[in-house]
Amino acid sequence: STALCNVAAATLPDGRVFVAGSTDGTTAFKTAYFYNPTTKAWSNAAPMRLGTFGNGLVTLPSGNVLSVGGGHKNWVGGSSVEIYFSENNTWAEREDVPFSAYVFGTAVLQNG
């Protein structure tokens, strides 16, 4: 196995942990995983569309997960936005944010 760093994680409504984005210090990975604390097992999720690390992940009220920013190469913050659709295990790109972000927090507002 490869040691990874700058991994983002978010809790899903069903209690699983969703992990996406990481690096080994050289390469930005597209990999995403689920961790089930009940079975203590990891499983693969669909890969992100863009390899990233240090991104922010937040679970939306719909159960989908938003990924914002992160580094893509050379440890420089990015402005990309992707959304993970939990109902069909797919990713889609969204409009970039108007700033570069790397290793930061995310939050959901009360109105979603």
Side-chain angles (χ1 to χ4, degrees):
S1 69
T2 302
L4 302 176
C5 61
N6 291 315
V7 177
T11 304
L12 298 175
D14 64 9
R16 291 179 300 162
V17 178
F18 183 70
V19 176
S22 61
T23 182
D24 61 2
T26 304
T27 303
F29 294 108
K30 298 178 180 182
T31 52
Y33 304 97
F34 297 108
Y35 177 71
N36 186 324
T38 302
T39 63
K40 297 181 177 143
W42 289 91
S43 59
N44 292 322
M48 300 180 76
R49 297 175 67 83
L50 180 64
T52 191
F53 55 89
N55 51 314
L57 279 186
V58 64
T59 303
L60 303 173
S62 63
N64 297 327
V65 180
L66 193 67
S67 173
V68 180
H72 304 298
K73 60 182 178 179
N74 300 325
W75 297 88
V76 175
S79 58
S80 64
V81 176
E82 294 186 51
I83 188 165
Y84 174 77
F85 295 100
S86 55
E87 68 273 6
N88 59 9
N89 192 34
T90 60
W91 288 90
E93 293 181 52
R94 293 294 185 250
E95 184 177 340
D96 287 358
V97 293
F99 53 85
S100 291
Y102 175 67
V103 186
F104 65 101
T106 54
V108 174
L109 301 175
Q110 287 183 340
N111 65 359

